[in-house]
Amino acid sequence: MRLLICTPTYYLQGGVERIMESLARHLPSRGVEVVFALARGARFHDAAAFRVAFPGIRGVDVDGTSGTIHGRRRPLRRVILETDPDVVLIARMFDAYPVVSELKLAGHRLRLAVTVQAYESDYFADLDRYQDFVDVCITSGERVLGEVRRRTSVPAVSIPRGVVGPRRLRVSQNGALP
């Protein structure tokens, strides 16, 4: 099975990115080939810097340098068709919703998995709009899971906390602030 994870590349310090890198490292031993569709923009999405920050991620650039909706979606569609995944997982690359939906309408065998990582209206607006095309929704906790289930009939599962955060050293609270 081939999994294509569609992700932006503007954030280089997040827990979501660490989760994705972990998936790339561990899923192959379970028979899943993991490929990433990495957003490449004219200014904010730097796929090369993303690869340096997350060396466990193997990816194909999605050229979004045109700055237009259609200019971002065309290359994404091309990447999906060329990589021929069984499942597309949307991890904050929201242009993938309409692209995958159109492919499914055209009879493509794709399955669509989406993440809702926060209690934010934009996540829910896209899920509401494209729910007929979504095969599973993965949430970041029980509260978000409850909202997904309240709003849609999409099968959903919660994976709380995702990854263990870095250990922080405790600093003595005595004395003046530095």
Side-chain angles (χ1 to χ4, degrees):
M1 181 177 89
R2 182 173 297 137
L3 170 66
L4 179 69
I5 301 175
C6 300
T7 186
T9 59
Y10 61 85
Y11 197 63
L12 303 179
Q13 301 174 25
V16 172
E17 289 75 17
R18 298 278 175 229
I19 292 169
M20 291 187 299
E21 190 173 42
S22 178
L23 288 172
R25 199 171 40 253
H26 296 293
L27 286 178
S29 68
R30 298 182 185 269
V32 178
E33 178 187 358
V34 181
V35 180
F36 288 82
L38 301 173
R40 181 170 49 87
R43 184 171 176 193
F44 296 109
H45 293 273
D46 187 343
F50 190 87
R51 283 186 178 87
V52 170
F54 305 101
I57 290 179
R58 182 176 69 99
V60 178
D61 286 11
V62 177
D63 184 5
T65 57
S66 73
T68 68
I69 290 171
H70 296 294
R72 291 189 312 264
R73 291 179 183 171
R74 252 190 322 275
L76 178 57
R77 180 185 175 94
R78 187 171 37 255
V79 165
I80 291 170
L81 291 172
E82 288 173 2
T83 58
D84 192 31
D86 299 290
V87 178
V88 172
L89 172 62
I90 299 174
R92 298 180 310 195
M93 187 188 285
F94 302 110
D95 283 326
Y97 271 105
V99 172
V100 173
S101 298
E102 290 167 7
L103 289 169
K104 288 180 85 166
L105 278 173
H108 201 288
R109 63 170 171 64
L110 284 173
R111 305 292 302 262
L112 178 58
V114 301
T115 59
V116 176
Q117 300 156 348
Y119 202 82
E120 295 177 14
S121 62
D122 288 346
Y123 281 112
F124 294 112
D126 284 332
L127 185 60
D128 289 345
R129 183 177 300 123
Y130 295 103
Q131 66 180 300
D132 292 341
F133 302 97
V134 176
D135 294 288
V136 67
C137 177
I138 304 148
T139 71
S140 59
E142 294 298 321
R143 180 173 181 203
V144 176
L145 177 66
E147 184 66 12
V148 168
R149 287 183 173 160
R150 186 184 71 70
R151 298 174 74 113
T152 73
S153 60
V154 172
V157 62
S158 172
I159 304 175
R161 294 180 294 284
V163 295
V164 177
R167 292 190 67 139
R168 295 197 174 120
L169 296 175
R170 293 223 175 242
V171 178
S172 172
Q173 298 297 319
N174 298 330
L177 293 174

